[in-house]
Amino acid sequence: MYDGLSNSIENLYRLSNARTRSICAENPTGEKGGGARCELENGIARHAARDLGKGWKVNPYIRLQPHETVVLGEVADSGCINHIWCTPSGNWRFQILRIYWDGSDVPSVECPLGDFFACGWGEYSPVVSLPVCVNPGRAFNCYWQMPFRKGFKITLENIGDAEVVFFYQIDYTLTDVPEDAAYFHAQFRRVNPLPYKGVYTILDGVSGKGQYVGTYMAWGVNNNGWWGEGEIKFYLDGDDEYPTICGTGTEDYFCGSYNFENQRTHRYEPFTTPYAGLSQVIEPDGVYRANQRFGLYRWHITDPIRFESDLKVTIQALGWRDGGRYLPLKDDIASVAYWYQTLPAAPFPKLPEKDELEIN
């Protein structure tokens, strides 16, 4: 009998004892038979539903007031989150998503909402990939499998000064979790600007056993010319000065080549694929948009980077200077690292303050 933890087209025909549940504003606890129970007078859409009454889309979304944190979902059981969908209003960089596993008070996911869904510049840009999809109308979808043994809690904090309207759905199963299942993690970082000759750190301080499964970067270029000569490096299990895995260039790591340039038009060519993409290219407009900005993702689905005890991930920011020499760049770089590991995980670095998160 299939346990129902990880679903794919190859096992959809198999029977399972897993129980499907879903949390949203219409069923905030996810309990069986708990949907559409909101009384008309308590519903956020009571005016629209006033002629129809209870059960007719009475409470389909929530509102977050400035500087408010809400619990989107909390479950005390074992199972796996299979899908998260949401569509937010407002400034996505000022909405902080956190996920806690098994009663921990330390988050394993802490990330601005847009960046988590590979949309870090606060503007809609389509993403068509296996674990993350961003669909028309700013519809954010996450398909990372997230097992839990004693439960989970998901919160959203509005650190901005404006109200947020938030539609969401968290789809999960209650089932037994295999002994070798690790816990999903995602961590955000940003440096603006990167110090001259500085190396950008995507992830550091990881302690435990697991596998690195993805990188998203929102890269703002502060120089003219090509910006992606830098190498990505993975330091595994005690690596010190030299890494075990070393890339050959930024566009190479994100599964492109030669500047992501269309050789016919001589312009950047965005692409979005199941495993990698240059999903967003924001060009200067000659007035207030002065710099090039890029959104890139690389999912290690078929090639996870496995580590036994520790992991560090860095990337260089390199362009070109006169004489065919590398130019260390001072760019605006933000990233999200995605990985699975055993618990407990090391505490994350402090999230940047609001002014340091702001896109400007």
Side-chain angles (χ1 to χ4, degrees), residues 63-70 157-164:
R63 296 183 186 272
L64 279 77
Q65 299 308 309
H67 313 293
E68 180 185 11
T69 299
V70 299
E157 179 183 8
N158 176 13
I159 66 171
D161 298 322
E163 180 185 76
V164 169

Side-chain angles (χ1 to χ4, degrees), residues 37-312:
R37 287 177 172 266
C38 183
E39 300 294 339
L40 179 64
E41 61 270 21
N42 298 326
I44 204 163
R46 56 187 173 273
H47 183 75
R50 65 190 184 278
D51 294 335
L52 299 174
K54 185 176 180 179
W56 287 89
K57 201 172 180 179
V58 168
N59 201 56
Y61 61 92
I62 62 173
R63 296 183 186 272
L64 279 77
Q65 299 308 309
H67 313 293
E68 180 185 11
T69 299
V70 299
V71 176
L72 299 178
E74 189 166 13
V75 167
D77 209 326
S78 66
C80 185
I81 297 173
N82 305 115
H83 173 232
I84 300 173
W85 165 88
C86 64
T87 180
S89 68
N91 188 326
W92 309 335
R93 190 52 81 74
F94 291 166
Q95 298 168 45
I96 310 302
L97 177 71
R98 295 183 177 91
I99 303 178
Y100 305 79
W101 303 123
D102 292 3
S104 173
D105 57 1
V106 177
S108 291
V109 173
E110 185 176 52
C111 187
L113 191 70
D115 295 82
F116 181 81
F117 289 95
C119 228
W121 289 113
E123 301 179 15
Y124 166 75
S125 182
V127 175
V128 183
S129 76
L130 284 177
V132 175
C133 291
V134 180
N135 299 329
R138 68 173 184 270
F140 295 159
N141 292 270
C142 166
Y143 298 94
W144 293 111
Q145 300 287 288
M146 304 181 190
F148 51 91
R149 291 181 172 85
K150 299 178 183 177
F152 68 82
K153 182 170 73 171
I154 301 178
T155 68
L156 188 68
E157 179 183 8
N158 176 13
I159 66 171
D161 298 322
E163 180 185 76
V164 169
V165 173
F166 192 72
F167 293 79
Y168 72 100
Q169 192 135 1
I170 303 164
D171 300 317
Y172 62 100
T173 53
L174 299 177
T175 187
D176 294 332
V177 174
E179 194 172 314
D180 61 355
Y183 292 86
F184 179 80
H185 289 69
Q187 183 186 118
F188 173 86
R189 296 189 181 213
R190 187 196 192 186
V191 176
N192 181 27
L194 186 69
Y196 182 66
K197 293 187 179 180
V199 174
Y200 182 80
T201 298
I202 295 172
L203 184 63
D204 195 7
V206 171
S207 177
K209 181 176 182 177
Q211 50 263 13
Y212 187 88
V213 295
T215 308
Y216 169 74
M217 301 197 77
W219 196 305
V221 181
N222 291 328
N223 281 72
N224 290 328
W226 172 237
W227 49 274
E229 288 299 327
E231 296 176 337
I232 194 166
K233 294 180 171 67
F234 291 86
Y235 298 82
L236 312 175
D237 302 331
D239 287 345
D240 187 7
E241 184 176 359
Y242 300 107
T244 295
I245 299 173
C246 183
T248 59
T250 302
E251 80 271 47
D252 307 336
Y253 171 68
F254 289 102
C255 299
S257 68
Y258 292 104
N259 309 359
F260 301 117
E261 183 181 348
N262 184 307
Q263 296 300 312
R264 182 178 58 82
T265 64
H266 299 292
R267 302 183 70 85
Y268 289 104
E269 185 170 355
F271 67 98
T272 175
T273 75
Y275 302 117
L278 174 69
S279 55
Q280 192 167 29
V281 177
I282 301 175
E283 297 182 339
D285 64 6
V287 185
Y288 297 117
R289 290 189 172 187
N291 300 329
Q292 298 264 18
R293 289 172 167 175
F294 304 91
L296 312 100
Y297 65 89
R298 168 73 156 90
W299 310 136
H300 295 269
I301 304 295
T302 62
D303 58 341
I305 297 171
R306 301 189 184 276
F307 55 93
E308 291 291 325
S309 61
D310 55 88
L311 174 67
K312 177 180 178 180

